[in-house]
Amino acid sequence: MKYLISILFLFLFWGCVNVSQNDNSLKDFNAVKIETIIKRPESIRALHVCENHIFYGASGGEFGYLNTADNSVAYIGQVQEAKDLEFRAISRTKEADYILSAGNPALLYKVNYFGKRKLSYKEEGEKVFYDAMAFYDDLNGIAMGDPTKDCISILITKDGGENWEKVPCEKLPSIIEGEAAFAASNTNISIVEDKVWIATGGKTSRIYFSENMGESWEVYETPIISGKSTTGIYSIDFYNESTGIVIGGDYTNPDGKQQNKAITKDGGKTWKIIAEGEKPGYKSCIKFVPNSNAREIVAVGFTGISYSSDYGRSWKQLSEEPFYTISFLNDYTAYAAGKGRIAKLVFIENGSKQEVLSH
C-alpha cells in the first residue's frame, strides 16, 4: 500500500505539460465528442489540466483531482471553513496547488490531493472579491480581484505561493468608476513568460499589462461593450507575447453579438473587434487551440461551444452543451467544466454532428 501511494503521488505531481507552440498543419474542426467524466452537485468554474491529472475548484468550498489516464477520482474534498464560498480561482506550481475563494472573506489555500491544506492568505472586507489566479513559474504568481479602494486588487507571491502580498494602489493604475471583473472561468489573467495581461469589465472594459511580473503596470483601452455591471471582457488568452484575444459581452443578454470579441497583434496596446454582429454572443471562456499559430480558437459558455479556424473572423457552433470554462490537454483534447460536471472534449476534423457523443 505504501508503495502504491508513492507511485500515485509521483503520477499526480509530475509537472504540468507546457504545450509547445509549434506551427503544425492547418486543421478545421467540425464536431466535438463530449464525455462527462464526473458529476457533482457543485458549480465548477476553475479548471487546470496537466498531463496526468485535472485539478478543479468549485462552489461549496470544494476542490478535487481527477486522473486523466482513466478519468478516475483521486481526491474530492471540502474546506469546511469555506463551505459557503466558491473556489473560482486556482493555479499550481510543480510543488503545490492553490485555490482562492471569491467573496468575503478571501481565503487562499495551498492544497494537495491528500486533502492537506494550509491557509496562505486571508482578506476580509465588504468589497473583497477575487476572480483569477496564475503562476509565471514555480516561484512567482499573481491573483486579481475587484477593487476594494481605487484600484483593482492584485496579490503577488515570490516564494512559490507560501506568502502573498497585496499590491498598494499607489503602484497600480486608478480604476474608472464601475470597473471590476468577472469570476466566470478563472481566465481574467493570461501569462507569457514574464508578461501578464489582466482583463476588466463592468462600466468600462480595459487591459492591465505588466512586462515584469507585476513590478510596473500600464493600462490599455478596448472597444469591448461596456456601460453596465454585467458587460465587458469575461475571458482573455494570449498565444504569444503579441497575439491575444478577449471575449465577453453581457450574460444577461447572451444573444448579443455586438462588440463582444476582439483580437490584438501588438501585445494588447490596440484591439480590433472581430466577427461583429455574428455569433457567438456572450461567452465566459476563450482559448487558443495549442499548436495552431493562433489561427484556431475555442470559446465556451452556457450557450454552448463555438470554434473558429480563421483567427476569429468567422465561427461555427460545435455543440449546444453548456460549460463555464475549458482547458486544453493537447491539440485535439480538452476538458471543460460547468454546472455539476466536468467533461472530456475531443475535437473532430471532417466529422459531422451525427458523430457527437454526449453522456
Side-chain angles (χ1 to χ4, degrees):
M1 178 60 71
K2 189 173 182 180
Y3 174 79
L4 290 176
I5 290 175
S6 299
I7 293 295
L8 179 61
F9 182 85
L10 290 172
F11 177 76
L12 283 174
F13 277 87
W14 277 350
C16 294
V17 169
N18 292 320
V19 181
S20 63
Q21 294 183 339
N22 300 321
D23 299 339
N24 291 346
S25 58
L26 300 181
K27 55 186 181 296
D28 187 10
F29 297 137
N30 293 288
V32 58
K33 291 183 178 180
I34 301 173
E35 178 189 2
T36 297
I37 61 173
I38 187 172
K39 292 184 178 181
R40 299 296 300 158
E42 308 298 342
S43 176
I44 304 170
R45 291 183 179 268
L47 194 66
H48 197 101
V49 176
C50 302
E51 181 183 25
N52 296 318
H53 74 276
I54 301 162
F55 172 46
Y56 76 88
S59 59
E62 180 176 297
F63 71 97
Y65 298 86
L66 309 175
N67 300 315
T68 56
D70 57 5
N71 300 327
S72 62
V73 173
Y75 174 83
I76 294 176
Q78 182 188 58
V79 180
Q80 286 297 316
E81 59 269 32
K83 64 182 179 180
D84 297 324
L85 299 175
E86 299 189 33
F87 289 122
R88 293 195 177 195
I90 65 171
S91 193
R92 78 180 310 271
T93 68
K94 289 181 180 178
E95 302 298 327
D97 301 314
Y98 292 89
I99 53 177
L100 172 60
S101 65
N104 178 29
L107 302 175
L108 198 164
Y109 290 93
K110 177 182 180 180
V111 300
N112 66 24
Y113 75 95
F114 290 118
K116 292 183 178 180
R117 61 184 181 273
K118 172 188 174 183
L119 184 63
S120 297
Y121 179 82
K122 180 178 181 179
E123 183 178 347
E124 295 179 289
E126 182 182 353
K127 296 181 179 180
V128 169
F129 196 96
Y130 281 91
D131 304 288
M133 178 167 49
F135 275 84
Y136 304 88
D137 53 36
D138 287 333
L139 291 178
N140 298 282
I142 186 170
M144 69 82 59
D146 292 356
T148 58
K149 295 182 179 179
D150 61 351
C151 66
I152 63 171
S153 296
I154 299 288
L155 301 179
I156 297 289
T157 180
K158 296 182 179 181
D159 59 4
E162 290 294 326
N163 298 282
W164 297 77
E165 292 186 2
K166 190 168 185 177
V167 178
C169 282
E170 293 75 27
K171 294 185 177 182
L172 292 168
S174 297
I175 59 164
I176 296 174
E177 184 179 357
E179 184 177 16
F182 303 105
S185 58
N186 193 40
T187 52
N188 306 78
I189 301 172
S190 186
I191 285 176
V192 177
E193 297 181 348
D194 291 351
K195 297 178 173 63
V196 60
W197 296 263
I198 291 175
T200 65
K203 292 187 178 181
T204 190
S205 198
R206 302 193 294 173
I207 302 298
Y208 290 70
F209 170 69
S210 173
E211 63 180 0
N212 48 21
M213 294 187 181
E215 291 296 323
S216 61
W217 292 89
E218 299 176 67
V219 63
Y220 305 130
E221 302 295 328
T222 79
I224 293 295
I225 187 171
S226 59
K228 296 167 55 180
S229 62
T230 55
T231 58
I233 299 170
Y234 280 72
S235 181
I236 183 170
D237 191 32
F238 268 77
Y239 187 83
N240 52 40
E241 65 181 19
S242 299
T243 304
I245 194 164
V246 294
I247 201 164
D250 183 347
Y251 81 88
T252 65
N253 179 27
D255 294 327
K257 302 179 287 293
Q258 283 71 41
Q259 296 175 253
N260 75 308
K261 40 201 176 290
I263 198 163
T264 181
K265 298 290 187 179
D266 59 7
K269 294 181 179 67
T270 61
W271 295 82
K272 180 181 179 182
I273 292 291
I274 52 177
E276 175 65 358
E278 300 178 9
K279 292 182 177 181
Y282 164 80
K283 296 292 182 185
S284 57
C285 186
I286 195 163
K287 290 288 185 180
F288 286 107
V289 177
N291 301 321
S292 68
N293 195 27
R295 176 177 173 265
E296 296 174 72
I297 307 155
V298 172
V300 303
F302 62 76
T303 55
I305 304 169
S306 296
Y307 167 77
S308 173
S309 61
D310 59 3
Y311 307 98
R313 289 191 289 265
S314 64
W315 295 76
K316 64 180 76 171
Q317 183 92 349
L318 297 185
S319 173
E320 301 292 332
E321 293 206 31
F323 294 100
Y324 296 140
T325 189
I326 186 171
S327 181
F328 276 89
L329 178 64
N330 54 45
D331 303 15
Y332 290 85
T333 306
Y335 289 84
K339 188 175 181 179
R341 67 167 173 164
I342 296 174
K344 181 178 181 180
L345 277 56
V346 178
F347 293 91
I348 304 167
E349 292 184 84
N350 301 318
S352 66
K353 292 196 175 181
Q354 282 71 36
E355 291 179 280
V356 178
L357 301 180
S358 293
H359 301 284

